[in-house]
Amino acid sequence: MTTSHHLNGDSMPAITTLDELYAYLDSAMQLEHATIPPYLTALYSIRPGTNSDAYHVLRVTVVEEMLHLTLVANLLNAVGGTPDLTVAGFVPDYPAYLPDGERDFQVSCARFSRESLGTFLEIERPRQAPDEQSRLIDRGPARRGRLGSAPGNNQLQYYSIGEFYQEISRGLHYLHDLLGDALFCGDPTRQVGSEYFYSGGGAIVPVSDLRSAEAAIDLICEQGEGFGGGIFDSEGELAHYYRFQQLVLGRYYQERDSRDHPSGPHIEVDWDAAYPIKQNAHLADYPADSEVAAAAIAFNTSYAGFLDLLTRAYGGRPELLLDAVTEMFRLRDQMTRLIHNPIPGLDGVNAAPTFEVSVHLAGVAS
Amino acid sequence: MIFPRDATRRTDHKAASETFYDVVVVGSGISGAIIAEQLSQAGKRVLVLEAAADEDRSLKGYEGFLSRFYAAASKDNQSPYPHNPNAPMPRSTDARRIWPGQPDSSAYLVQNGPFSSDTTYTRVLGGTTMHWEAKTPRMLPQDFHLRTMFGLGQDWPLTYDDLSPYYVQAERELGVSADVEHQSYLGATFDPGYVFPMHELPLSYLDKVVAKGVDGTFVELDGEQFELSVRAFPQARNGVPNAAYDNGKGYVPVGAVNTHQVEEGERCQGNNNCVPLCPVQAKYHAGKTLAKALQDGRVDLLTRTVASKVLVDPATGRVDGIEVKVYQDPESPQHTTMIMRGQIFVLAANAIENPRLMLASGLSGSSGLMGRNLMDHAYLLSWALLPEMAGTFRGTNCTGGIVDLRAGSFRRQQAAFAVDIHNDGWGWATGAPYSDLVDLVDQQNLFGAELRRALPDRISRQLLLALMIDVLPNESNRVTVDPAYTDQLGNMRPVISYTVPEYTMRGVAYARQFARQVFQRLGAADHTAYDPTDGAYLTYEGEGYVIRGGNHLAGTHMMGTNSRNSVVDAQQRSWDHPNLYLVGGGSMPTIGTSNVTLTMAALCYRSAERIIAQLQDELSARLQTPAPTELPMPTVVAAS
Amino acid sequence: MTGPRQLDGSRRLEDFLAFSAEATAFTVFELRGTGQSQAYLNTCDGIVGTEVTDCLLDRYDAARSAVVASESTLPELLRRDILSDPQLGPVARNIAKMWFVGVWYELPRAWTEAFGAREGNATFVVSTQSYTEGLLWPAIGANPPGAKAPGFGSWAHPPRIPVFP
């Protein structure tokens, strides 16, 4: 079990009430979701017919981020919370800022490139705080797009995403000691099971007790960072960090490889075979009456609808996740059309989805 | 599913020819893959011979097939697969009209007629399951006793109940999506509590439009009333796993096959391209079973290895070895001839290639039935335009159909049939939607907005019923060989003689009426037109029909109760050669109205058990014999 | 011979797209969204030659200017000046078909007899991407078979066919 090392610390956990637990889990959902737009943008900026290896790696990572999102929704539902992906500010205004140990770093919606891959490696890089006191870092004044901060105090950001989840784990244990199994009072029909979510990237874990809650957190941490130390997780899946690293190192990992030394088949990456899109595009970057602007607004409306659909799926209708996948495929088509179009007036710079959803959410009643 | 890297290279041909295997299997399609996998699990050493020039089954190679398909101007069911003169394969576009006395030898299959079949099979690693549609209905109990019940065809030496546990194994391996409640009809039964690995795939919107008009309709045949409904087909395609499967253990779908970890091929995405290639490997193909078979290193796999002769010891009748021609370059006839040896041999090359190889080896068998009784479902297409938008061209190729006339007492007079509702519109019949586009632009002179309105109006209302009609065994429908017709390696090509039996034609005539009735019910405009210049055009009682092949090849080494009425026994073991099994559709005495693959797979699970037992028996017998037989030195003959 | 169009490739592409939008009733944004614009223009140039393509684009340009002062609509002018023209009509129809299914169709025999055989004038798929980017499929609310999957179970719902006024 990877989440037990800090449980014996003397200090009070940051989570001592159910409301605090809800706030942390809300924040975790936001965090899990926040990597999806950057991954999607890089994925669909790849010129069709090129970079098949990179395409697969990115695609699977998105699928697994969706899995993580769903695992957090299961956690939140299990303790009686209500996942809501439609609250204002759920989608960050990119660039976002994620924790990376002593500093934080910028995450952008950008084209597929060495640089964006470098960011993805940073997102997924395993990092453990040197000691429990270093778990929270003061990053200075509140900043837009800062993720992984302590709920209610934007200034204090966790040392890493892994540490953020350690804190949730600690809180779960604390509350379980306090409340017993009554902690897991959620409606079990709201749990998403493997009928509605499966991929090669690990099975979904329905959460009903402390054990399954720990298993869900472990899966999230292992898949992303290989937190337990290995390059493969307990289910034999390569952790995201090492998947991305394969593209940089130009080879696949295979069984029995040690970290940083993949010995599998070679990978060829054509770093230039991506559309030159506007980084962290905003609607304001597009001429007001252009088709590009209209398409970007339409995309944002669709994306808001997608988040609304997920909210309903996590709100007791897990079968809607099948429709959510269909919706993601529609979003793919909308994204690629934008990415293939130049921005009028900007020579050689293509459009991209802006993910500015909160502004349009009002119109998406289902 | 990981395909062990370099599995196709790790065995050297020479080393293989110097090894005495427990079992040598010819063919890497579903039958060969299942037998290899089962024997490997039982700890046996197996050699699989594949004629195709494939490398490992990897995602890259698979995407190569896909690109080839994208770029092909003709998108027929062989379009993704490269032409290989050393292991040629038939293509539906090859079929020509045959004139009496003039066989058509222009393509791989030499067609002697009188009927010109457009049937195909695929010679690649994984065989025809690479291009198959993956419909997996079981045969109906009645199908096993047509001779007893109606004096027609041949009885099976097996019953539905005998095969039932093996159907269960096959449904697990293939990953079948279906609901028991919708498959329990016309006498088909399932063990109490049985559920399929995955829930049935949703019916298409088009199916539902048809169902509105069809459900609850009655037809009368031979004094029997049949209530019609649109029903989902069982499919070997990943859907929603059934948590109740295997007494609540559930089912984990098998994803894409590749040489390194990749996550793809989980749930069907509705690419509408099952035939000729599922782009995401949600559809089962034998590469999945083959990858499993190769895991533990007991199975050796050789590609570019064409079985050319079955060598028999005339004294004992036992097979000594399989002569193979090994080539490097598919374009070049240069090859090396070798012999592969083992205790037991399995021919799993399909119902045309199995008898072709036997006949080319001079082994026509004591029954004289080798290659005879070739069967393939007769497909009659009927197409119409629905009065409403039905969203055609979405979903898997086919999700639902009408299967209520698969059995009944009417079978004493005419063939039974099953009806597919094609989600890919009139494509099979007319080349839609390409033909529609060309017509609207070039003939109807539509342009711009008018064209945009016309396209869905013409295409999204299309309904094509493919009526799959039973064909009974007929000795004159056969595969032969003729030294006048050889391929690039000098192997004799199959010569096909085929007539659509009258019993089937009676079913065809009724099926056409049936389709008309459905169209009337739906208020759909019948656009069916059979072209008299088509090589597959036939007239029956004054009406013309075009009959398409179903690629459900069977019958050519039929199983039976003795060596006079059949080629193999109920375990698919040759009556003449006690260490030879001929497996696959060729063993089936009748095909009913069931796509043959699931039944073939079930038969192979059954044979695998028998082969393991026989190996055990022969091993014990040999241990009692004092002098062990010496392995003869391999024969290596240079190409001429 | 070098016409003024050859001097400005991007202007030429824009005219090609504007004409294509007229031919297919897809917007320029949607056409560009396929990523195939340049490939289709190149294919047309490659088979019939840039002079014929330029001639078609000039006629289109002229019709577009003329429509302001004309009693006819632009589609009417295009029928008169391009679609019924023995040389330009088949080329225009081929451009439309290319956008819809990514295929260059062999020009009719009458065309090659009148205007000369062209190298490469056979029916072919322009590229693997042109197949998957065919606009016929979105026009009927579907996906190109084997690509751009719509997702599990989507086929059970009514089609979403763009309503075209």
Side-chain angles (χ1 to χ4, degrees):
Chain A
M1 188 128 315
T2 60
T3 45
S4 52
H5 9 193
H6 297 304
L7 290 177
N8 302 325
D10 300 329
S11 62
M12 274 295 280
I15 300 167
T16 56
T17 67
L18 261 181
D19 282 339
E20 280 164 351
L21 180 62
Y22 295 160
Y24 265 81
L25 288 170
D26 285 341
S27 191
M29 290 196 73
Q30 192 186 14
L31 190 61
E32 292 301 341
H33 166 270
T35 56
I36 292 175
Y39 286 145
L40 284 177
T41 304
L43 172 64
Y44 296 129
S45 75
I46 293 176
R47 286 187 188 268
T50 70
N51 285 318
S52 154
D53 296 291
Y55 189 92
H56 283 291
V57 167
L58 277 164
R59 192 195 70 83
V60 171
T61 307
V62 173
V63 172
E64 293 187 357
E65 294 301 341
M66 287 295 298
L67 172 68
H68 297 175
L69 188 63
T70 307
L71 285 167
V72 181
N74 274 356
L75 278 167
L76 188 50
N77 272 321
V79 295
T82 308
D84 186 358
L85 294 74
T86 65
V87 289
F90 181 80
V91 183
D93 178 8
Y94 291 95
Y97 296 88
L98 261 69
D100 179 27
E102 299 302 331
R103 51 182 202 95
D104 61 2
F105 69 101
Q106 187 175 314
V107 178
S108 292
C109 290
R111 61 165 277 194
F112 174 72
S113 65
R114 280 186 192 280
E115 197 190 352
S116 58
L117 206 70
T119 305
F120 299 159
L121 277 165
E122 281 203 83
I123 294 176
E124 309 287 356
R125 192 156 68 93
R127 289 170 223 87
Q128 206 169 330
D131 53 60
E132 203 173 308
Q133 281 64 46
S134 327
R135 182 172 281 172
L136 272 173
I137 309 271
D138 191 336
R139 308 275 193 211
R143 160 140 92 165
R144 219 175 51 169
R146 177 176 287 159
L147 297 161
S149 53
N153 188 349
N154 183 283
Q155 194 162 332
L156 291 177
Q157 194 184 33
Y158 276 85
Y159 187 89
S160 69
I161 299 171
E163 296 294 342
F164 180 79
Y165 278 105
Q166 293 304 312
E167 197 57 53
I168 291 178
S169 175
R170 217 153 76 102
L172 275 168
H173 278 269
Y174 178 88
L175 288 170
H176 187 254
D177 285 347
L178 212 64
L179 305 170
D181 287 341
L183 172 61
F184 297 97
C185 61
D187 177 355
T189 64
R190 292 165 72 102
Q191 291 296 313
V192 177
S194 59
E195 301 99 297
Y196 301 113
F197 199 108
Y198 69 86
S199 76
I204 186 89
V205 181
V207 177
S208 58
D209 52 20
L210 193 59
R211 216 182 130 93
S212 48
E214 287 288 5
I217 291 177
D218 281 354
L219 186 58
I220 295 171
C221 295
E222 280 185 350
Q223 271 197 334
E225 312 185 336
F227 197 87
I231 57 174
F232 290 96
D233 70 12
S234 49
E235 300 193 8
E237 292 291 324
L238 195 58
H240 293 181
Y241 178 81
Y242 298 101
R243 285 193 188 171
F244 288 132
Q245 198 197 30
Q246 296 176 127
L247 299 176
V248 177
L249 298 178
R251 287 193 87 157
Y252 282 106
Y253 277 104
Q254 56 186 7
E255 253 183 290
R256 291 187 288 278
D257 281 348
S258 56
R259 65 177 62 190
D260 306 335
H261 296 97
S263 69
H266 287 273
I267 302 173
E268 272 170 44
V269 180
D270 182 353
W271 296 104
D272 295 327
Y275 283 91
I277 55 170
K278 171 88 183 159
Q279 182 165 323
N280 297 320
H282 285 76
L283 285 176
D285 296 321
Y286 306 142
D289 297 328
S290 62
E291 284 188 282
V292 166
I297 291 168
F299 174 85
N300 289 340
T301 308
S302 301
Y303 200 79
F306 170 66
L307 294 176
D308 179 61
L309 185 62
L310 284 181
T311 302
R312 283 183 289 143
Y314 298 147
R317 296 191 57 199
E319 74 281 0
L320 288 178
L321 278 181
L322 294 176
D323 294 334
V325 174
T326 298
E327 204 48 56
M328 281 196 89
F329 284 127
R330 287 204 188 96
L331 291 167
R332 168 201 63 199
D333 294 343
Q334 283 182 289
M335 282 185 79
T336 48
R337 274 196 295 275
L338 272 167
I339 286 170
H340 293 177
N341 265 274
I343 301 174
L346 281 182
D347 199 24
V349 181
N350 280 24
T354 68
F355 294 96
E356 293 160 284
V357 296
S358 44
V359 220
H360 299 282
L361 204 59
V364 199
S366 45
Chain B
M1 190 81 218
I2 300 279
F3 192 97
R5 217 171 134 212
D6 292 331
T8 52
R9 290 203 203 120
R10 70 187 179 201
T11 313
D12 171 51
H13 280 86
K14 186 160 180 296
S17 73
E18 288 164 4
T19 304
F20 190 82
Y21 287 92
D22 291 318
V23 180
V24 177
V25 180
V26 178
S28 70
I30 182 164
S31 300
I34 284 174
I35 286 181
E37 192 272 332
Q38 288 290 291
L39 284 155
S40 168
Q41 264 197 37
K44 307 300 176 195
R45 286 279 282 137
V46 182
L47 175 65
V48 177
L49 306 171
E50 172 52 52
D54 278 84
E55 307 285 321
D56 297 337
R57 179 58 64 240
S58 68
L59 191 62
K60 265 217 160 58
Y62 199 91
E63 287 178 345
F65 288 148
L66 193 61
S67 297
R68 209 182 150 80
F69 163 77
Y70 287 162
S74 161
K75 301 218 183 299
D76 63 281
N77 49 19
Q78 303 283 45
S79 55
Y81 311 105
H83 173 63
N84 177 349
N86 287 338
M89 49 192 170
R91 203 167 171 173
S92 55
T93 49
D94 294 339
R96 303 273 177 279
R97 192 160 192 191
I98 302 168
W99 305 100
Q102 292 177 345
D104 174 26
S105 62
S106 58
Y108 176 59
L109 289 186
V110 179
Q111 301 232 28
N112 206 21
F115 179 74
S116 169
S117 169
D118 64 353
T119 202
T120 62
Y121 49 88
T122 305
R123 292 176 85 185
V124 294
L125 198 64
T128 306
T129 53
M130 292 300 288
H131 99 233
W132 76 319
E133 191 201 314
K135 253 197 210 98
T136 53
R138 295 184 180 190
M139 289 186 63
L140 295 170
Q142 197 181 71
D143 294 331
F144 294 84
H145 314 287
L146 292 182
R147 162 75 44 194
T148 302
M149 291 183 77
F150 308 121
L152 292 163
Q154 293 295 334
D155 281 351
W156 285 55
L158 290 171
T159 65
Y160 178 87
D161 289 339
D162 291 335
L163 210 49
S164 196
Y166 302 98
Y167 271 138
V168 169
Q169 269 185 289
E171 282 158 356
R172 174 192 284 271
E173 182 63 23
L174 274 64
V176 173
S177 295
D179 286 352
V180 165
E181 54 175 312
H182 293 147
Q183 303 307 322
S184 307
Y185 62 91
L186 296 172
T189 54
F190 298 86
D191 287 341
Y194 181 68
V195 300
F196 286 91
M198 289 170 274
H199 294 289
E200 93 184 3
L201 293 179
L203 286 175
S204 68
Y205 183 72
L206 171 67
D207 291 327
K208 294 180 198 170
V209 169
V210 175
K212 269 194 300 184
V214 165
D215 283 5
T217 304
F218 283 86
V219 292
E220 193 183 307
L221 255 177
D222 197 38
E224 216 178 327
Q225 291 276 323
F226 294 89
E227 185 178 355
L228 306 181
S229 67
V230 171
R231 205 185 284 265
F233 281 108
Q235 311 202 33
R237 204 180 314 291
N238 290 338
V240 178
N242 193 331
Y245 185 68
D246 199 5
N247 299 314
K249 292 198 197 79
Y251 179 82
V252 180
V254 180
V257 175
N258 190 22
T259 47
H260 60 86
Q261 198 171 76
V262 71
E263 282 72 29
E264 203 183 61
E266 298 91 24
R267 215 189 297 271
C268 167
Q269 303 176 343
N271 272 287
N272 195 12
N273 205 57
C274 318
V275 180
L277 188 70
C278 171
V280 296
Q281 304 187 46
K283 175 186 81 173
Y284 171 84
H285 61 78
K288 296 187 179 186
T289 303
L290 211 52
K292 245 165 79 181
L294 291 165
Q295 295 300 324
D296 54 24
R298 280 190 288 271
V299 175
D300 290 344
L301 171 62
L302 296 177
T303 60
R304 299 171 196 255
T305 309
V306 187
S308 51
K309 196 169 183 187
V310 177
L311 305 170
V312 171
D313 177 346
T316 61
R318 285 180 71 92
V319 175
D320 272 344
I322 302 270
E323 179 197 84
V324 297
K325 294 178 176 174
V326 181
Y327 63 91
Q328 289 308 312
D329 176 4
E331 296 304 321
S332 156
Q334 282 228 333
H335 66 276
T336 310
T337 304
M338 296 178 156
I339 293 172
M340 302 298 167
R341 298 187 190 271
Q343 184 79 8
I344 286 178
F345 295 84
V346 178
L347 301 192
N350 83 37
I352 287 182
E353 293 294 324
N354 273 355
R356 185 202 66 73
L357 176 59
M358 290 297 283
L359 294 169
S361 309
L363 302 170
S364 53
S366 50
S367 64
L369 292 174
M370 186 68 71
R372 292 190 182 272
N373 296 308
L374 173 64
M375 292 176 272
D376 179 15
H377 283 124
Y379 269 93
L380 180 77
L381 309 182
S382 275
W383 56 102
L385 216 47
L386 287 158
E388 61 183 292
M389 288 292 176
T392 317
F393 283 94
R394 298 179 311 138
T396 70
N397 283 167
C398 174
T399 37
I402 305 165
V403 291
D404 305 292
L405 297 171
R406 287 183 62 198
S409 61
F410 67 87
R411 291 178 89 177
R412 75 181 82 244
Q413 279 119 27
Q414 69 186 52
F417 62 95
V419 185
D420 301 348
I421 297 164
H422 262 261
N423 288 331
D424 51 354
W426 299 354
W428 193 2
T430 68
Y434 298 91
S435 53
D436 299 306
L437 174 71
V438 170
D439 179 63
L440 293 172
V441 173
D442 291 349
Q443 307 303 321
Q444 311 302 319
N445 293 321
L446 299 180
F447 203 66
E450 293 171 334
L451 178 58
R452 283 293 299 279
R453 280 191 290 271
L455 283 168
D457 192 53
R458 168 79 76 90
I459 298 168
S460 305
R461 297 193 290 134
Q462 291 183 358
L463 166 63
L464 180 131
L465 301 180
L467 303 111
M468 182 180 91
I469 301 152
D470 189 8
V471 170
L472 292 174
N474 180 332
E475 289 189 9
S476 60
N477 285 343
R478 61 189 297 201
V479 181
T480 55
V481 291
D482 181 337
Y485 305 115
T486 54
D487 67 17
Q488 180 172 278
L489 286 181
N491 290 319
M492 285 190 264
R493 287 153 51 190
V495 179
I496 308 293
S497 306
Y498 200 83
T499 309
V500 181
E502 177 158 358
Y503 175 79
T504 297
M505 289 310 296
R506 278 198 293 277
V508 166
Y510 179 79
R512 176 71 185 118
Q513 268 184 49
F514 177 87
R516 284 203 176 105
Q517 200 181 339
V518 170
F519 294 161
Q520 280 154 358
R521 244 349 245 238
L522 295 167
D526 196 346
H527 284 246
T528 311
Y530 301 119
D531 177 2
T533 65
D534 194 303
Y537 184 82
L538 294 172
T539 54
Y540 179 72
E541 292 184 337
E543 272 222 58
Y545 308 93
V546 167
I547 304 297
R548 296 280 167 231
N551 316 329
H552 304 160
L553 298 164
T556 49
H557 45 79
M558 184 182 285
M559 64 166 61
T561 49
N562 61 57
S563 63
R564 292 175 308 285
N565 69 9
S566 56
V567 177
V568 298
D569 67 12
Q571 323 281 3
Q572 307 193 80
R573 181 163 78 155
S574 160
W575 291 112
D576 295 334
H577 312 290
N579 66 335
L580 177 68
Y581 289 74
L582 291 105
V583 302
S587 301
M588 296 170 65
T590 57
I591 51 177
T593 48
S594 156
N595 312 54
V596 293
T597 304
L598 183 81
T599 303
M600 281 164 47
L603 289 173
C604 286
Y605 277 105
R606 203 160 175 277
S607 295
E609 284 183 2
R610 181 71 191 91
I611 293 169
I612 292 163
Q614 187 180 344
L615 282 169
Q616 231 41 56
D617 291 349
E618 294 190 359
L619 181 67
S620 333
R622 216 170 354 146
L623 288 176
Q624 285 155 20
T625 315
T629 43
E630 196 79 10
L631 173 62
M633 283 305 288
T635 322
V636 180
V637 187
S640 47
Chain C
M1 196 182 90
T2 318
R5 284 185 185 283
Q6 263 105 329
L7 300 174
D8 185 353
S10 73
R11 164 79 203 286
R12 199 163 176 271
L13 183 63
E14 273 167 39
D15 283 355
F16 179 73
L17 280 165
F19 169 73
S20 298
E22 213 55 59
T24 60
F26 276 96
T27 66
V28 169
F29 173 80
E30 289 166 320
L31 296 176
R32 278 193 195 275
T34 67
Q36 301 303 306
S37 323
Q38 194 66 53
Y40 290 161
L41 178 56
N42 291 351
T43 300
C44 191
D45 282 345
I47 306 283
V48 301
T50 49
E51 285 157 37
V52 175
T53 315
D54 280 346
C55 180
L56 188 151
L57 297 180
D58 285 339
R59 293 265 183 100
Y60 168 69
D61 223 12
R64 199 167 40 172
S65 312
V67 76
V68 187
S70 167
E71 286 179 8
S72 307
T73 63
L74 184 54
E76 284 166 345
L77 291 180
L78 293 179
R79 279 200 183 282
R80 190 189 71 192
D81 297 339
I82 297 178
L83 295 174
S84 60
D85 181 279
Q87 185 177 31
L88 301 181
V91 176
R93 283 186 279 279
N94 259 16
I95 291 171
K97 286 181 282 184
M98 197 154 50
W99 281 108
F100 279 111
V101 289
V103 173
W104 174 267
Y105 283 90
E106 184 177 354
L107 287 163
R109 181 123 60 103
W111 195 95
T112 46
E113 277 170 2
F115 307 106
R118 294 295 203 274
E119 205 186 323
N121 177 33
T123 298
F124 65 94
V125 179
V126 173
S127 71
T128 52
Q129 269 62 59
S130 73
Y131 167 70
T132 63
E133 292 297 338
L135 290 168
L136 169 66
W137 311 104
I140 60 169
N143 61 296
K148 299 193 173 186
F152 182 83
S154 57
W155 55 81
H157 304 300
R160 293 192 186 183
I161 297 170
V163 183
F164 218 78

